[in-house]
Amino acid sequence: MAEEGQDKFTVYLDGQEGHRGNVLLHSFASKLNRLALVLGKLERAYLGVGTRQTDFEITEVAKVNPTSVTLRAVPHVLNYNPRPAFQWSMTQIRKVGDGDAPDERVTADIADDLCKLATLESAGGYKAFWINGYAEKVLFDEQYQERAARLVAQRKRDLASDRWHEGTSLGSIVGV
């Protein structure tokens, strides 16, 4: 289907010393779930569709600190190539991390999910969280969270300026 590495990435969580370098299950499951949610939303934004077209299969798991899971994008529907949407999604995630402007299809809702993805949800569950593979390493840390939060604010400002608002109209409306 795809050239090696063009449809794969690895998720890493660095464990805490208090747990002998291990990552707590709820932290690991939460991060994987949030990442799948973000990738699904990005794919739907890229394609302009309402349902996901891609699944992710586990191709490798390692419990040598950091704990890692390698995933491959595979079709959820028949005759679909997930690679273009997957690569675009990973590029958008990287752009937010670099502080660059992502595509306009990355909405405030998606940016908010990226912000949550970078949030340390519970102290002691893990030390660091990052992904790499198709794209260069993306560290979901405080800096990523700040950049995603700025993107959320910018997208909301852009959306607000495009909406109608209450006001006073001068003139008249003539109709038949």
Side-chain angles (χ1 to χ4, degrees):
M1 176 183 87
E3 296 172 24
E4 190 64 29
Q6 296 292 306
D7 56 354
K8 292 169 82 174
F9 69 104
T10 303
V11 179
Y12 297 92
L13 274 95
D14 193 12
Q16 289 281 13
E17 289 80 14
H19 299 287
R20 296 174 301 228
N22 294 316
V23 175
L24 295 180
L25 174 63
H26 74 276
S27 296
F28 191 77
S30 173
K31 289 300 174 188
L32 279 178
N33 188 46
R34 174 75 57 192
L35 183 59
L37 175 80
V38 168
L39 288 170
K41 285 184 176 184
L42 284 166
E43 176 191 55
R44 290 189 302 276
Y46 174 77
L47 296 172
V49 297
T51 59
R52 70 184 164 94
Q53 308 293 306
T54 301
D55 278 323
F56 292 93
E57 66 183 14
I58 298 171
T59 62
E60 189 177 331
V61 177
K63 176 40 214 123
V64 176
N65 201 29
T67 300
S68 65
V69 175
T70 301
L71 304 169
R72 177 192 323 267
V74 295
H76 178 71
V77 296
L78 292 174
N79 300 319
Y80 173 70
N81 178 5
R83 190 187 322 163
F86 169 71
Q87 290 176 349
W88 179 86
S89 297
M90 295 298 277
T91 299
Q92 302 316 305
I93 290 171
R94 176 73 186 175
K95 283 183 174 187
V96 172
D98 289 344
D100 297 336
D103 191 290
E104 290 299 317
R105 292 174 280 189
V106 178
T107 63
D109 180 50
I110 294 170
D112 186 52
D113 282 327
L114 287 169
C115 189
K116 290 175 186 172
L117 187 62
T119 302
L120 183 61
E121 292 160 358
S122 65
Y126 64 95
K127 236 184 347 187
F129 166 53
W130 69 96
I131 62 174
N132 73 353
Y134 165 70
E136 295 296 315
K137 177 180 176 180
V138 176
L139 180 62
F140 293 99
D141 59 0
E142 290 174 359
Q143 187 176 31
Y144 192 100
Q145 183 184 11
E146 290 169 10
R147 289 175 174 163
R150 280 196 305 266
L151 180 61
V152 170
Q154 177 62 46
R155 293 293 198 243
K156 285 182 177 179
R157 276 192 305 274
D158 292 347
L159 184 62
S161 67
D162 290 345
R163 287 196 174 158
W164 287 91
H165 59 277
E166 284 188 31
T168 304
S169 174
L170 301 175
S172 61
I173 298 176
V174 178
V176 177

